[in-house]
Amino acid sequence: MWFVVGFIRPLTINAVLLGVASSLVFDSMHAIGNIIFSILFSNKFVKILDRFIKRFEVEYID
């Protein structure tokens, strides 16, 4: 929505709806790509996150 607020003048409800409609294809492809990548690389990504959690774990001693 940054492009609607930043670049579209005058800012009307029709302009906002047109901006949302024009970005629908891009946003849908972005979401589908995220789903595909999360399915393909989820196991490896979880292992990497677990390694970082163990590596940067902080233990507080009273």
Side-chain angles (χ1 to χ4, degrees), residues 29-46:
M29 296 301 285
H30 191 188
I32 291 169
N34 285 338
I35 291 169
I36 291 170
F37 282 127
S38 66
I39 289 170
L40 292 175
F41 300 115
S42 62
N43 292 335
K44 190 165 196 96
F45 188 63
V46 168

Side-chain angles (χ1 to χ4, degrees), residues 2-12 14-16 18-20 22:
W2 67 269
F3 66 92
V4 172
V5 176
F7 297 110
I8 296 179
R9 297 287 184 257
L11 190 58
T12 62
N14 288 338
V16 172
L18 185 61
V20 170
S22 66

